[in-house]
Amino acid sequence: MNKLKERWNIDNNWQLIKILIVFAITGFSSLQLAKPFLNLIGIPETFEPHWLYRVLRLLLIFPIYQVLLVFVGFVFGEFKFFWEFEKKMLYRIKLGFIADFVDKKLK
C-alpha cells in the first residue's frame, strides 16, 4: 500500500481506498455498459460472426472505461487525480491532443 501511495503521491489511506473503489466501480461498469450500447447501435449478442462481436465489445469497453473513470472519480471527489491519470494514458496512446484540448476548456 505504501508503494502505491508513493507512486500516486497520495497522502492518506482514505484517499487510496477511494481511488481503489473508483477503479473497481469503473471496471465493472464499463463491462456492463458495453453490451447494451452494442445492442443500441444494432449489434445484438447473437451477432455473427461471434468473434467479431467480442472484438467490437472489447474495443468499446476501452473508451467507456476512460470516460467513466474521470466521471466516477469526480463523484468520489478525486477528479484531479483521475484527470492526471487519464492525461498520462492519452499521451501514452498518442492521443495527447485530446488531453490538451480538454485542459484548455477546463481552464
Side-chain angles (χ1 to χ4, degrees):
M1 294 288 229
N2 288 332
K3 284 185 181 182
L4 276 179
K5 284 171 38 178
E6 278 180 38
R7 182 176 179 189
W8 289 343
N9 197 23
I10 296 171
D11 300 328
N12 57 53
N13 289 337
W14 175 239
Q15 188 179 13
L16 179 63
I17 290 169
K18 286 194 308 184
I19 288 169
L20 293 175
I21 289 171
V22 168
F23 278 122
I25 290 171
T26 304
F28 179 76
S29 299
S30 63
L31 290 173
Q32 298 304 312
L33 287 174
K35 189 189 324 185
F37 189 79
L38 283 173
N39 284 331
L40 183 68
I41 61 173
I43 303 174
E45 194 171 0
T46 57
F47 183 79
E48 290 294 332
H50 197 63
W51 65 268
L52 184 56
Y53 173 82
R54 295 288 180 209
V55 170
L56 291 172
R57 188 168 178 205
L58 286 173
L59 290 174
L60 187 60
I61 287 170
F62 181 73
I64 290 173
Y65 179 82
Q66 301 308 316
V67 171
L68 280 178
L69 189 62
V70 175
F71 176 74
V72 176
F74 172 77
V75 170
F76 276 77
E78 294 295 334
F79 176 80
K80 183 179 177 189
F81 173 83
F82 284 104
W83 177 239
E84 292 300 320
F85 189 87
E86 185 63 31
K87 284 195 305 189
K88 284 183 201 174
M89 176 86 66
L90 288 169
Y91 280 110
R92 285 181 187 149
I93 61 173
K94 307 298 184 215
L95 295 174
F97 65 92
I98 296 171
D100 294 337
F101 176 78
V102 174
D103 259 349
K104 286 179 186 174
K105 294 294 181 183
L106 289 175
K107 290 183 180 179

